[in-house]
Amino acid sequence: MPKRIHRLHLLVERTYARPIARSLHWAAILPLLTLLVAGCAQTAAQRRPTTQSPPSPTFASTTTPTPPPNLPTFSDWRVAYQSPDGILHAITLDGKTDVAGPLLPGLITTGNQSTSAGASPNGQMLAYDGDGGLVILGMSADAIGSTNARVAGMYEMFWSPDGSQVAISDGVGGLSVVVPASGQPRPIPSPHGHVLGHLIGWIDGGHLAVEVVNSATAATVGALDVITGELRIIATIHSSELGTYTYSLSPDGKTLLFSNSILGNDPYTPLVAKIDTATGVITPLPRIANINRYSGFTSAAWRPGTEKIAVSTGFTANGDLKSWVLDLRNDTATHLLDGQYVDGWAPDNGPLILTVSQKMPDNDIVIGGGPFTITAATISSNGQVSTTVLTQQAMTFPFIGFVRTA
C-alpha cells in the first residue's frame, strides 16, 4: 500500500495501495488543522494532529490461548488485519476463512500513532513503526523472524518493488533504506542544491519518487538514486492557486497522480494531472478535477496493470465521504460508494478493499484505533457493485495489505 492515500495514504508494492504523499511540513500547517477539519476537511497531505485519542480497545485476557508464531500456509491472496487482541489475521477475499497468526509487536499501547509500509510485495513480511522502533515481521514459516531497529523519525515508509528494502522518511527531508535481514538503516545522501519534502514511493529498485521543495506556486517531483543521492527532476506543475497537494504512485512506478485541495484561505483551483515518471510529460485531467473540489483525494488504490485508480474524497467526520473509480486514460470518474475509504486493489483482478473508519485529516494510523469494518467490493463489467463484509473487528491500520504465505 500507504503515515499514509498515502498515509495508506496507507500507497504500493503488491499491496497496490499507496499512501498519498503529503505536501506540507508539520510546522507549517499545525495552526490550520482545527480550522480545516471543522470546515472543508484537509486532504491526506496534512500532518497529523496530536490532540486526538482513539477509544481504548478491549484486549484479550491472559487466559487467551497463545496464537501460532506464524500464519498457516496458504497460496491465495488474503486481507491482513489486526484483531482487538493485537493478533495478526488473514481473511480470504470472500470472507469465509479467517486464520490467526502472531501477535503484532509494539501495537498494544493505545493513543500512539504509527506509520506502516504494509505487507511486502510477496505478501510474507510486514513493516511498521511500533513503539519500540521499526518492526519487520515475518508472517510465514519461510520468512525472517521479527526485526526491531531504532530509526529516527519514521514518517513515511514503502517497500521496494522486490521487497528487499524498506524506504523510510523522517518527514523533514531525511531518507534511509533498511534491509529486512539486518534491520539497520542506511542513510541516503542528500542531493546537492535541493531540499526534499515527502517520500512518494519507489519508481524502480534503485530510485525513489520524492517531493522537491520549490515555492508556493510550484509543485516539483523528482527521482532520487538511493545509492548516490543524485536527483533527477521529473516534472514541475506551476499554478498560483495550488492550495495543498498530494501524489499517488502506480504499482509499476510509471505514473504519478497529482491532485490538490483547498488550504485555509489560500488561492485554490482544483487540479488533477497524471505525470509520466520517465518522460516528465504532464497530462491534465480536467473532468476528474470536477470531483476534487475541496478535500482532494483522501485515499487511493491503483488497479494493477491499468490506468484505473480508486480514490475517496471527503471524510467520515464531515459526512461527505465518497469513493470513485478514475480512468486516467479517458479522464473519467465513476461514483462507487458512499461512506467508505478505498485501501487496496487485490492482485490478479481481485476485488477492491474499502474500510469504514474514522480517518484523521492526514490519514494517520492510530495504534489501538477501532474496531473498523473492512469490505471487499466487486465491480461488474456494467458497473454494478457488490460488496462483502470481511470483518468488523479490524484495529489500528485497519487494512494491513494483501498476504500469502506459500
Side-chain angles (χ1 to χ4, degrees):
M1 90 299 189
K3 288 186 173 182
R4 302 111 91 263
I5 177 254
H6 213 169
R7 246 195 339 39
L8 301 199
H9 106 22
L10 135 19
L11 73 23
V12 198
E13 304 74 31
R14 288 296 292 270
T15 63
Y16 303 118
R18 292 182 180 271
I20 288 185
R22 293 148 295 185
S23 65
L24 294 182
H25 291 285
W26 173 238
I29 66 167
L30 180 58
L32 302 175
L33 284 174
T34 303
L35 173 64
L36 294 177
V37 175
C40 54
Q42 294 174 329
T43 69
Q46 307 311 311
R47 297 292 192 185
R48 65 189 182 204
T50 58
T51 58
Q52 302 189 33
S53 297
S56 299
T58 301
F59 296 108
S61 69
T62 55
T63 59
T64 300
T66 301
N70 300 103
L71 289 169
T73 300
F74 53 86
S75 59
D76 56 312
W77 289 105
R78 302 186 184 186
V79 168
Y81 71 94
Q82 180 199 18
S83 59
D85 54 10
I87 292 173
L88 175 71
H89 283 247
I91 189 167
T92 53
L93 298 177
D94 61 7
K96 294 181 179 179
T97 302
D98 191 328
V99 295
L103 188 72
L104 295 180
L107 284 175
I108 294 299
T109 305
T110 62
N112 293 330
Q113 292 168 319
S114 176
T115 190
S116 172
S120 61
N122 65 1
Q124 296 189 9
M125 289 184 289
L126 168 63
Y128 61 87
D129 174 13
D131 60 7
L134 173 65
V135 175
I136 299 178
L137 180 69
M139 296 184 288
S140 70
D142 295 332
I144 65 170
S146 178
T147 296
N148 192 283
R150 287 288 180 183
V151 180
M154 287 179 284
Y155 193 77
E156 297 148 335
M157 62 172 70
F158 296 91
W159 284 102
S160 62
D162 63 358
S164 66
Q165 303 174 87
V166 179
I168 298 174
S169 166
D170 63 7
V172 290
L175 299 171
S176 60
V177 294
V178 176
V179 176
S182 69
Q184 299 306 308
R186 178 184 60 78
I188 299 173
S190 298
H192 179 71
H194 296 283
V195 177
L196 300 184
H198 298 289
L199 174 61
I200 301 169
W202 290 82
I203 295 174
D204 54 42
H207 297 86
L208 296 171
V210 293
E211 179 194 359
V212 182
V213 178
N214 197 337
S215 72
T217 60
T220 299
V221 63
L224 181 70
D225 189 299
V226 299
I227 301 298
T228 66
E230 181 180 353
L231 182 72
R232 172 179 63 88
I233 298 299
I234 295 173
T236 300
I237 292 177
H238 296 276
S239 173
S240 60
E241 300 182 336
L242 274 179
T244 186
Y245 51 88
T246 61
Y247 299 93
S248 181
L249 184 60
S250 62
D252 58 13
K254 294 180 179 179
T255 306
L256 277 163
L257 179 66
F258 170 93
S259 63
N260 69 343
S261 60
I262 196 167
L263 178 63
N265 294 320
D266 288 358
Y268 165 71
T269 297
L271 175 63
V272 177
K274 65 177 180 178
I275 302 171
D276 187 305
T277 59
T279 66
V281 172
I282 301 170
T283 304
L285 302 170
R287 285 182 291 195
I288 290 177
N290 286 333
I291 70 167
N292 183 39
R293 281 295 172 190
Y294 301 108
S295 68
F297 299 147
T298 49
S299 64
W302 289 81
R303 187 167 193 174
T306 73
E307 287 198 26
K308 291 186 177 181
I309 179 173
V311 300
S312 63
T313 56
F315 291 92
T316 302
N318 291 356
D320 60 352
L321 177 60
K322 297 179 182 294
S323 59
W324 312 77
V325 174
L326 311 181
D327 184 336
L328 305 189
R329 185 182 297 274
N330 297 304
D331 187 19
T332 60
T334 303
H335 177 250
L336 188 63
L337 296 167
D338 291 339
Q340 298 188 56
Y341 297 96
V342 302
D343 275 282
W345 218 317
D348 305 328
N349 294 315
L352 177 67
I353 303 302
L354 305 98
T355 57
V356 177
S357 61
Q358 294 288 334
K359 282 185 186 286
M360 300 172 74
D362 61 352
N363 204 17
D364 272 350
I365 295 170
V366 179
I367 296 176
F372 304 123
T373 299
I374 299 179
T375 301
T378 301
I379 308 170
S380 68
S381 57
N382 62 3
Q384 295 297 311
V385 181
S386 59
T387 60
T388 301
V389 173
L390 301 185
T391 181
Q392 295 178 310
Q393 296 297 311
M395 306 293 290
T396 300
F397 296 98
F399 168 72
I400 292 176
F402 298 106
V403 299
R404 62 180 178 183
T405 57

